[in-house]
Short mmCIF file of all heavy atoms in Angstrom, two decimals:
data_model
loop_
_atom_site.label_atom_id
_atom_site.label_comp_id
_atom_site.label_asym_id
_atom_site.label_seq_id
_atom_site.Cartn_x
_atom_site.Cartn_y
_atom_site.Cartn_z
N ARG E 49 103.87 53.81 75.02
CA ARG E 49 103.64 53.76 73.54
C ARG E 49 102.52 54.85 73.12
O ARG E 49 101.48 54.98 73.72
CB ARG E 49 103.07 52.35 73.17
CG ARG E 49 102.42 52.19 71.79
CD ARG E 49 101.99 50.70 71.61
NE ARG E 49 101.34 50.49 70.29
CZ ARG E 49 100.02 50.39 70.20
NH1 ARG E 49 99.20 50.40 71.28
NH2 ARG E 49 99.43 50.24 69.05
N LEU E 50 102.94 55.54 72.04
CA LEU E 50 102.10 56.47 71.49
C LEU E 50 101.53 55.98 70.12
O LEU E 50 102.36 55.80 69.22
CB LEU E 50 102.86 57.79 71.27
CG LEU E 50 103.54 58.42 72.48
CD1 LEU E 50 104.30 59.63 72.20
CD2 LEU E 50 102.58 58.71 73.58
N ASN E 51 100.27 55.79 70.04
CA ASN E 51 99.76 55.15 68.86
C ASN E 51 99.43 56.23 67.75
O ASN E 51 98.49 56.99 68.00
CB ASN E 51 98.49 54.40 69.31
CG ASN E 51 97.96 53.47 68.08
OD1 ASN E 51 98.34 53.62 67.03
ND2 ASN E 51 97.05 52.60 68.44
N MET E 52 100.11 56.12 66.68
CA MET E 52 100.04 57.17 65.63
C MET E 52 98.74 56.94 64.78
O MET E 52 98.33 57.84 64.06
CB MET E 52 101.29 57.14 64.70
CG MET E 52 102.50 57.36 65.41
SD MET E 52 102.72 58.87 66.34
CE MET E 52 102.70 60.14 65.07
N SER E 53 98.02 55.91 65.02
CA SER E 53 96.69 55.59 64.36
C SER E 53 95.64 56.62 65.04
O SER E 53 94.58 56.76 64.49
CB SER E 53 96.25 54.26 64.55
OG SER E 53 97.17 53.39 63.94
N HIS E 54 95.89 57.10 66.23
CA HIS E 54 94.91 57.93 66.95
C HIS E 54 95.47 59.24 67.38
O HIS E 54 96.56 59.21 67.77
CB HIS E 54 94.30 57.12 68.14
CG HIS E 54 93.74 55.76 67.82
ND1 HIS E 54 92.57 55.52 67.04
CD2 HIS E 54 94.18 54.44 68.11
CE1 HIS E 54 92.35 54.32 66.99
NE2 HIS E 54 93.26 53.60 67.55
N GLY E 55 94.78 60.27 67.44
CA GLY E 55 95.23 61.49 67.94
C GLY E 55 95.97 62.28 67.03
O GLY E 55 96.51 61.74 65.97
N THR E 56 96.03 63.58 67.07
CA THR E 56 96.74 64.45 66.23
C THR E 56 98.10 64.63 66.63
O THR E 56 98.55 64.11 67.70
CB THR E 56 96.01 65.83 66.26
OG1 THR E 56 96.27 66.42 67.51
CG2 THR E 56 94.49 65.83 65.94
N HIS E 57 98.92 65.32 65.80
CA HIS E 57 100.35 65.57 66.10
C HIS E 57 100.40 66.41 67.49
O HIS E 57 101.40 66.29 68.26
CB HIS E 57 101.02 66.20 65.07
CG HIS E 57 101.39 65.29 63.84
ND1 HIS E 57 102.25 65.66 62.78
CD2 HIS E 57 101.14 63.93 63.73
CE1 HIS E 57 102.39 64.60 62.10
NE2 HIS E 57 101.76 63.56 62.62
N ASP E 58 99.47 67.30 67.58
CA ASP E 58 99.30 68.09 68.84
C ASP E 58 99.18 67.26 69.99
O ASP E 58 99.86 67.42 71.12
CB ASP E 58 98.28 69.14 68.73
CG ASP E 58 98.64 70.27 67.71
OD1 ASP E 58 99.80 70.57 67.43
OD2 ASP E 58 97.70 71.01 67.43
N ASP E 59 98.22 66.17 70.00
CA ASP E 59 98.10 65.34 71.08
C ASP E 59 99.26 64.61 71.39
O ASP E 59 99.63 64.40 72.56
CB ASP E 59 96.91 64.23 70.70
CG ASP E 59 95.55 64.96 70.42
OD1 ASP E 59 95.28 66.03 71.04
OD2 ASP E 59 94.83 64.49 69.62
N ILE E 60 99.94 64.09 70.33
CA ILE E 60 101.19 63.32 70.53
C ILE E 60 102.31 64.19 71.21
O ILE E 60 103.06 63.68 72.15
CB ILE E 60 101.73 62.78 69.20
CG1 ILE E 60 100.76 61.78 68.59
CG2 ILE E 60 103.11 61.95 69.35
CD1 ILE E 60 100.30 60.53 69.41
N THR E 61 102.38 65.41 70.79
CA THR E 61 103.38 66.27 71.23
C THR E 61 103.15 66.45 72.81
O THR E 61 104.07 66.59 73.58
CB THR E 61 103.33 67.64 70.54
OG1 THR E 61 103.67 67.45 69.17
CG2 THR E 61 104.38 68.58 71.12
N LYS E 62 101.82 66.74 73.07
CA LYS E 62 101.57 66.89 74.62
C LYS E 62 102.01 65.80 75.54
O LYS E 62 102.64 65.94 76.45
CB LYS E 62 100.00 67.33 74.64
CG LYS E 62 99.53 67.37 76.13
CD LYS E 62 98.07 67.45 76.21
CE LYS E 62 97.53 67.47 77.67
NZ LYS E 62 96.07 67.43 77.72
N MET E 63 101.54 64.52 75.04
CA MET E 63 101.93 63.38 75.72
C MET E 63 103.44 63.17 75.83
O MET E 63 104.01 62.84 76.97
CB MET E 63 101.23 62.07 75.16
CG MET E 63 99.73 62.04 75.45
SD MET E 63 98.91 60.54 74.98
CE MET E 63 98.88 60.71 73.16
N HIS E 64 104.18 63.46 74.76
CA HIS E 64 105.59 63.40 74.83
C HIS E 64 106.26 64.37 75.91
O HIS E 64 107.04 63.96 76.61
CB HIS E 64 106.21 63.71 73.47
CG HIS E 64 107.60 63.59 73.34
ND1 HIS E 64 108.43 64.59 73.65
CD2 HIS E 64 108.46 62.57 72.86
CE1 HIS E 64 109.64 64.29 73.47
NE2 HIS E 64 109.75 63.02 73.02
N ARG E 65 105.67 65.44 75.86
CA ARG E 65 106.16 66.58 76.82
C ARG E 65 105.87 66.09 78.22
O ARG E 65 106.71 66.23 79.13
CB ARG E 65 105.44 67.89 76.51
CG ARG E 65 105.83 68.99 77.55
CD ARG E 65 105.19 70.33 77.18
NE ARG E 65 103.80 70.21 76.99
CZ ARG E 65 102.88 70.16 78.01
NH1 ARG E 65 103.36 70.33 79.19
NH2 ARG E 65 101.63 70.17 77.75
N LEU E 66 104.67 65.59 78.54
CA LEU E 66 104.40 65.06 79.89
C LEU E 66 105.28 63.94 80.33
O LEU E 66 105.58 63.84 81.46
CB LEU E 66 102.83 64.65 79.94
CG LEU E 66 101.85 65.83 79.73
CD1 LEU E 66 100.44 65.33 79.70
CD2 LEU E 66 101.99 66.88 80.84
N ILE E 67 105.47 63.08 79.41
CA ILE E 67 106.38 61.90 79.75
C ILE E 67 107.69 62.38 80.13
O ILE E 67 108.30 61.97 81.15
CB ILE E 67 106.48 60.90 78.55
CG1 ILE E 67 105.20 60.23 78.25
CG2 ILE E 67 107.55 59.78 78.91
CD1 ILE E 67 105.08 59.50 76.90
N ARG E 68 108.30 63.27 79.45
CA ARG E 68 109.59 63.84 79.61
C ARG E 68 109.64 64.64 80.98
O ARG E 68 110.59 64.58 81.69
CB ARG E 68 110.10 64.75 78.52
CG ARG E 68 110.37 63.96 77.20
CD ARG E 68 111.52 62.99 77.38
NE ARG E 68 111.83 62.29 76.18
CZ ARG E 68 111.89 60.93 76.08
NH1 ARG E 68 111.65 60.10 77.20
NH2 ARG E 68 112.19 60.33 75.08
N GLN E 69 108.49 65.24 81.41
CA GLN E 69 108.44 65.99 82.59
C GLN E 69 108.48 64.99 83.82
O GLN E 69 109.06 65.15 84.83
CB GLN E 69 107.23 66.82 82.63
CG GLN E 69 107.04 67.71 83.79
CD GLN E 69 108.25 68.74 83.85
OE1 GLN E 69 108.46 69.42 82.94
NE2 GLN E 69 108.97 68.80 85.08
N VAL E 70 107.65 63.74 83.62
CA VAL E 70 107.72 62.81 84.60
C VAL E 70 109.08 62.17 84.81
O VAL E 70 109.63 62.02 85.88
CB VAL E 70 106.77 61.62 84.25
CG1 VAL E 70 106.83 60.40 85.19
CG2 VAL E 70 105.29 62.18 84.33
N GLU E 71 109.74 62.00 83.63
CA GLU E 71 111.17 61.40 83.64
C GLU E 71 112.05 62.46 84.35
O GLU E 71 112.94 61.94 85.29
CB GLU E 71 111.59 61.37 82.21
CG GLU E 71 113.00 60.92 82.13
CD GLU E 71 113.56 60.83 80.57
OE1 GLU E 71 113.63 61.95 80.03
OE2 GLU E 71 113.73 59.79 79.99
N LYS E 72 111.94 63.61 84.22
CA LYS E 72 112.80 64.69 84.92
C LYS E 72 112.49 64.63 86.38
O LYS E 72 113.42 64.72 87.16
CB LYS E 72 112.64 66.05 84.22
CG LYS E 72 113.46 67.14 84.83
CD LYS E 72 113.14 68.52 84.25
CE LYS E 72 113.96 69.56 84.85
NZ LYS E 72 113.66 70.87 84.18
N ASP E 73 111.23 64.76 86.70
CA ASP E 73 110.83 64.95 88.05
C ASP E 73 111.30 63.68 88.96
O ASP E 73 111.55 63.73 90.09
CB ASP E 73 109.35 65.04 88.19
CG ASP E 73 108.89 66.45 87.60
OD1 ASP E 73 109.73 67.30 87.46
OD2 ASP E 73 107.68 66.65 87.45
N LEU E 74 111.18 62.47 88.34
CA LEU E 74 111.46 61.20 89.09
C LEU E 74 112.92 60.82 88.78
O LEU E 74 113.41 59.76 89.40
CB LEU E 74 110.62 60.05 88.60
CG LEU E 74 109.09 60.25 89.01
CD1 LEU E 74 108.23 59.12 88.52
CD2 LEU E 74 108.87 60.44 90.45
N ASP E 75 113.62 61.48 87.99
CA ASP E 75 115.01 61.16 87.63
C ASP E 75 115.17 59.66 87.18
O ASP E 75 115.98 58.95 87.69
CB ASP E 75 116.05 61.39 88.70
CG ASP E 75 117.52 61.38 88.32
OD1 ASP E 75 117.69 61.52 87.19
OD2 ASP E 75 118.30 61.09 89.20
N SER E 76 114.27 59.30 86.25
CA SER E 76 114.06 57.84 85.89
C SER E 76 113.94 57.86 84.34
O SER E 76 112.89 58.27 83.82
CB SER E 76 112.92 57.27 86.51
OG SER E 76 112.74 55.94 86.15
N PRO E 77 114.99 57.32 83.57
CA PRO E 77 114.86 57.31 82.17
C PRO E 77 113.60 56.44 81.73
O PRO E 77 113.39 55.34 82.16
CB PRO E 77 116.13 56.59 81.71
CG PRO E 77 117.16 56.86 82.83
CD PRO E 77 116.35 56.91 84.07
N ILE E 78 112.91 57.01 80.77
CA ILE E 78 111.57 56.45 80.31
C ILE E 78 111.82 56.33 78.76
O ILE E 78 112.09 57.30 78.08
CB ILE E 78 110.45 57.14 80.67
CG1 ILE E 78 110.26 57.21 82.17
CG2 ILE E 78 109.17 56.55 80.04
CD1 ILE E 78 109.22 58.19 82.66
N ALA E 79 111.44 55.15 78.17
CA ALA E 79 111.43 55.04 76.66
C ALA E 79 110.09 55.52 76.13
O ALA E 79 109.01 55.10 76.72
CB ALA E 79 111.81 53.64 76.24
N ILE E 80 110.10 56.10 74.92
CA ILE E 80 108.85 56.38 74.28
C ILE E 80 108.90 55.68 72.86
O ILE E 80 109.77 55.86 72.07
CB ILE E 80 108.74 57.97 74.13
CG1 ILE E 80 108.73 58.65 75.35
CG2 ILE E 80 107.42 58.34 73.30
CD1 ILE E 80 108.49 60.17 75.30
#
Side-chain angles (χ1 to χ4, degrees):
R49 171 176 173 257
L50 306 179
N51 191 347
M52 305 302 291
S53 299
H54 304 291
T56 65
H57 283 188
D58 286 343
D59 296 330
I60 300 296
T61 300
K62 176 188 174 183
M63 287 188 284
H64 181 277
R65 176 177 54 81
L66 292 175
I67 295 167
R68 292 296 181 234
Q69 188 61 51
V70 170
E71 177 185 70
K72 179 181 179 181
D73 292 347
L74 296 178
D75 191 25
S76 178
I78 301 173
I80 300 178

